[in-house]
């Protein structure tokens, strides 16, 4: 599976150069000229790395990264910026950056840094995220809007199965096999009851409708 790089830069020539270069290296690339749609992209796509300019229209790039870090977005970030003073670079790291490249840059050095950071972080980046739900395997906890939710062991395993199979229809038989495994309570109606309770815990008002039933088929997490 290819790694996906999100590039944010309002200079079209830089954007085109980076997109062409990284696509040629085998990465999937998504480009943006400002930060207006970044959260939606991070929620919907599996982003391995963000290349972020700082001099952007609207929100300054490093201030935007600092803000989304507090919201639980942990994708690695390389700033690619004309702000090249020592204080600028330090500020970039303090605001959530993982690396910093100043413009004008050497394209081979940029490729090497992208490759190195993705290699390093892909081994440690363990948080699953979908919409406003995040899961940390290190402490086996779920959060919704950055607030921890309490689940039973079965509910934990069930929600984790859905998180790993976002937008994929899962039959009751599949859920029984993957979640209940060797349990003696492997009955199709058990799935329905467990999902009802899970919904009550993660979406008590029913407004978000994370888990949707497909009549005669199963459930989909979307």
């Amino acid at each position: 599976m290819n790694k996906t790089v999100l590039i944010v830069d309002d200079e079209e020539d830089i954007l085109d150069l980076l997109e062409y270069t990284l696509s040629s290296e085998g990465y999937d690339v998504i480009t943006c000229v400002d930060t207006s749609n970044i959260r939606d992209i991070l929620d919907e796509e599996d982003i391995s790395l963000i290349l972020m300019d700082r001099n952007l229209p609207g929100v300054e790039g490093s201030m935007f990264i600092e803000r989304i870090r507090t919201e639980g977005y942990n994708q690695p970030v390389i700033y690619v910026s004309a702000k090249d003073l020592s204080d600028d670079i330090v500020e970039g790291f303090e605001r959530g950056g993982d690396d910093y490249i100043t413009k004008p840059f050497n394209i081979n050095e940029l490729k090497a840094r992208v490759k190195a950071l993705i290699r390093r972080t892909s081994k440690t980046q363990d948080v699953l995220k979908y919409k406003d739900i995040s899961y940390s395997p290190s402490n086996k906890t779920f959060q919704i809007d950055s607030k921890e939710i309490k689940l039973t062991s079965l509910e934990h395993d069930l929600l984790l199965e859905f998180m790993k199979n976002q937008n994929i229809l899962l039959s009751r038989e599949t859920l029984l096999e993957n979640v209940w495994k060797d349990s003696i309570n492997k009955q199709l109606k058990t799935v329905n009851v467990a999902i009802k309770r899970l919904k009550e815990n993660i979406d008590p008002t029913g407004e978000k409708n994370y888990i949707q039933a497909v009549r005669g088929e199963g459930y989909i997490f979307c």
Side-chain angles (χ1 to χ4, degrees), residues 152-166:
T152 65
S153 177
L154 175 60
E155 290 165 350
H156 166 280
D157 293 348
L158 185 56
L159 182 53
L160 182 58
E161 184 69 14
F162 279 122
M163 289 281 285
K164 290 178 177 178
N165 295 278
Q166 301 162 11

Side-chain angles (χ1 to χ4, degrees), residues 9-24:
D9 200 306
D10 65 335
E11 296 182 61
E12 292 288 349
D13 54 343
I14 297 292
L15 206 59
D16 291 344
L17 171 63
L18 292 175
E19 181 179 15
Y20 173 78
T21 299
L22 295 181
S23 296
S24 299

Side-chain angles (χ1 to χ4, degrees), residues 14 22 38 51 87 95 109 119 174 189:
I14 297 292
L22 295 181
I38 300 301
L51 291 181
D87 288 347
R95 290 179 176 172
E109 179 184 346
R119 182 176 63 243
T174 297
K189 65 180 181 180

Side-chain angles (χ1 to χ4, degrees), residues 13-65:
D13 54 343
I14 297 292
L15 206 59
D16 291 344
L17 171 63
L18 292 175
E19 181 179 15
Y20 173 78
T21 299
L22 295 181
S23 296
S24 299
E25 292 293 304
Y27 299 104
D28 292 330
V29 177
I30 299 173
T31 61
C32 295
V33 296
D34 57 38
T35 61
S36 58
N37 297 319
I38 300 301
R39 287 180 178 84
D40 290 339
I41 293 171
L42 296 178
D43 288 341
E44 296 169 5
E45 304 288 343
D46 183 14
I47 301 298
S48 300
L49 175 68
I50 303 172
L51 291 181
M52 174 67 70
D53 187 18
R54 293 187 61 183
N55 294 316
L56 294 170
V59 181
E60 196 269 354
S62 67
M63 293 182 67
F64 178 79
I65 294 299

Side-chain angles (χ1 to χ4, degrees), residues 33-193:
V33 296
D34 57 38
T35 61
S36 58
N37 297 319
I38 300 301
R39 287 180 178 84
D40 290 339
I41 293 171
L42 296 178
D43 288 341
E44 296 169 5
E45 304 288 343
D46 183 14
I47 301 298
S48 300
L49 175 68
I50 303 172
L51 291 181
M52 174 67 70
D53 187 18
R54 293 187 61 183
N55 294 316
L56 294 170
V59 181
E60 196 269 354
S62 67
M63 293 182 67
F64 178 79
I65 294 299
E66 183 178 45
R67 189 176 303 166
I68 66 171
R69 287 287 192 241
T70 66
E71 299 169 5
Y73 296 93
N74 66 341
Q75 288 83 357
V77 173
I78 298 178
Y79 292 115
V80 183
S81 176
K83 292 187 174 184
D84 57 0
L85 298 178
S86 295
D87 288 347
D88 293 326
I89 296 172
V90 170
E91 182 179 63
F93 282 107
E94 290 177 343
R95 290 179 176 172
D98 298 278
D99 201 351
Y100 202 109
I101 298 173
T102 59
K103 297 177 180 178
F105 52 83
N106 179 289
I107 196 66
N108 289 324
E109 179 184 346
L110 183 140
K111 289 191 296 185
R113 289 184 181 229
V114 166
K115 183 178 180 179
L117 185 54
I118 288 179
R119 182 176 63 243
R120 186 169 75 245
T121 57
S122 63
K123 297 176 182 177
T124 59
Q125 196 177 21
D126 59 359
V127 175
L128 287 175
K129 187 170 178 63
Y130 187 72
K131 295 184 177 178
D132 56 356
I133 303 179
S134 60
Y135 176 72
S136 175
S138 59
N139 54 17
K140 296 186 177 181
T141 58
F142 287 94
Q143 291 187 336
I144 296 181
D145 287 331
S146 301
K147 295 180 180 178
E148 185 175 340
I149 53 175
K150 300 296 184 182
L151 300 174
T152 65
S153 177
L154 175 60
E155 290 165 350
H156 166 280
D157 293 348
L158 185 56
L159 182 53
L160 182 58
E161 184 69 14
F162 279 122
M163 289 281 285
K164 290 178 177 178
N165 295 278
Q166 301 162 11
N167 294 306
I168 297 175
L169 178 63
L170 298 177
S171 67
R172 291 171 178 82
E173 290 82 2
T174 297
L175 290 169
L176 279 174
E177 183 67 26
N178 294 345
V179 177
W180 276 260
K181 298 179 181 177
D182 296 326
S183 170
I184 61 174
N185 296 317
K186 289 181 68 171
Q187 301 178 39
L188 292 180
K189 65 180 181 180
T190 305
V191 177
N192 301 340
V193 172

